[in-house]
Amino acid sequence: QERNEDAERVTAEALDRARRLLGNEHRETLNYVNNLAIAKRRLDKMDEAGALYREGYETTKRMLGATAGPTLVSMVNLANFYARAGQCAEQVGFVEETVAVCRQHSMADTPNLGLALRNLAMCRDAMGRAADAERAYLEGEKQLASVLRADDPILLRLHGVMAEFYAKQGNTVEAATWKAKAGD
């Protein structure tokens, strides 16, 4: 509904309560940490969002281990933040590590690997590595298409991003193909 200020306020209140009642290392608290990070990112409060994404990842990793499912989700979320925040040059190693860890430890029926590949593609594109970005986009889309419905918003957004990528490359045929898949 694009009520990001309301989402930020309500989620910050819920996080505060969860920290007091459940502690910082409770799964529900960490869900609120992630949700508040999303709200902060949508409001372009990047420093606050980044700190929350890092807290969520580091705490989950410490609690559950580096390869547990929730840790992989937190890792993918942090890599996505880096890609969207324009921090690819500084954090490409972490984004690449996210893909490698997801390849080894993600359950086949989760979107973790596909999302990690999307993040890597976004970074490679931002770094001017179009051929590498294309490979990552195509592999990520294939993986996501195997675990999500065709009308899933995550997949549709990826198709839109891929349409923009191909348009930027001057490949109007591929851009049109992906734009149609995005429902545009």
Side-chain angles (χ1 to χ4, degrees):
Q1 296 178 355
E2 300 301 321
R3 294 175 49 194
N4 293 317
E5 289 86 5
D6 291 339
E8 177 189 31
R9 180 183 47 75
V10 170
T11 306
E13 291 169 1
L15 175 58
D16 184 54
R17 277 192 306 277
R19 287 188 194 280
R20 281 191 327 252
L21 297 172
L22 303 171
N24 290 330
E25 295 191 350
H26 190 279
R27 285 182 186 222
E28 197 61 34
T29 303
L30 293 171
N31 284 335
Y32 288 121
V33 166
N34 183 68
N35 292 343
L36 184 55
I38 292 168
K40 298 278 189 186
R41 182 181 51 79
R42 288 182 177 159
L43 290 168
D44 206 28
K45 296 180 178 181
M46 301 309 269
D47 289 341
E48 294 174 62
L52 288 163
Y53 279 119
R54 283 186 289 279
E55 175 190 347
Y57 169 64
E58 292 298 330
T59 304
T60 305
K61 181 178 167 184
R62 186 174 58 254
M63 285 174 46
L64 303 175
T67 60
T71 305
L72 297 180
V73 171
S74 292
M75 189 177 200
V76 168
N77 288 343
L78 180 56
N80 183 48
F81 168 76
Y82 290 143
R84 289 176 182 259
Q87 297 180 14
C88 291
E90 304 92 333
Q91 300 295 341
V92 71
F94 180 82
V95 176
E96 290 171 343
E97 178 188 354
T98 302
V99 172
V101 171
C102 286
R103 279 193 199 286
Q104 281 196 308
H105 299 286
S106 283
M107 303 284 288
D109 62 345
T110 69
N112 291 340
L113 177 58
L115 293 171
L117 285 160
R118 177 209 56 200
N119 299 337
L120 181 59
M122 290 168 57
C123 277
R124 287 180 171 168
D125 184 26
M127 296 171 70
R129 296 172 53 192
D132 293 334
E134 180 181 32
R135 282 191 293 278
Y137 274 131
L138 291 171
E139 184 182 356
E141 192 280 337
K142 181 178 179 183
Q143 196 280 331
L144 287 172
S146 74
V147 298
L148 301 174
R149 297 180 330 269
D151 63 346
D152 189 287
I154 293 171
L155 194 56
L156 295 176
R157 279 193 301 276
L158 176 59
H159 292 160
V161 168
M162 292 174 73
E164 292 171 15
F165 168 78
Y166 282 110
K168 187 171 74 174
Q169 304 305 315
N171 188 336
T172 56
V173 172
E174 283 295 321
T177 298
W178 291 107
K179 187 173 182 174
K181 287 185 177 191
D184 291 344

